[in-house]
Amino acid sequence: MLVLGLLLLAAAGAFTGLLIADNLSGGPEYTVSVLGQDIATMNALAIFCSGLALALIFCAGLGAVAATAVHRRRERPRAYATHPDGSGR
């Protein structure tokens, strides 16, 4: 779960960084391109909604990492029961 959370965090961050770096031009309609490939033409509302979706993916990854960290912190070593006669079977 930790690896999946870190992968989601890295993917959302890298994709957001690439989108910002490749799309600095302005206008009422934006042609979104990543690594030289045009993906879509979006208006301001579509860009806002895609930003919300990226934020939710980022938060899902962050939640997975946090849940794994909490689970690992609460984990205690198991105490094995001994046999009543003390032999430790």
Side-chain angles (χ1 to χ4, degrees):
M1 196 67 158
L2 178 67
V3 173
L4 180 62
L6 290 174
L7 183 66
L8 282 174
L9 286 173
F15 190 71
T16 303
L18 283 172
L19 283 176
I20 291 171
D22 287 345
N23 298 293
L24 292 177
S25 62
E29 295 284 324
Y30 299 95
T31 301
V32 179
S33 63
V34 175
L35 300 174
Q37 300 293 323
D38 292 340
I39 295 177
T41 301
M42 300 178 142
N43 59 14
L45 179 62
I47 292 171
F48 177 74
C49 290
S50 64
L52 287 176
L54 275 172
L56 286 174
I57 291 171
F58 184 81
C59 288
L62 193 62
V65 170
T68 303
V70 167
H71 176 71
R72 287 180 185 232
R73 189 176 340 134
R74 289 185 183 173
E75 200 172 272
R76 293 186 184 110
R78 295 182 184 187
Y80 294 103
T82 58
H83 198 268
D85 65 1
S87 64
R89 292 187 188 166

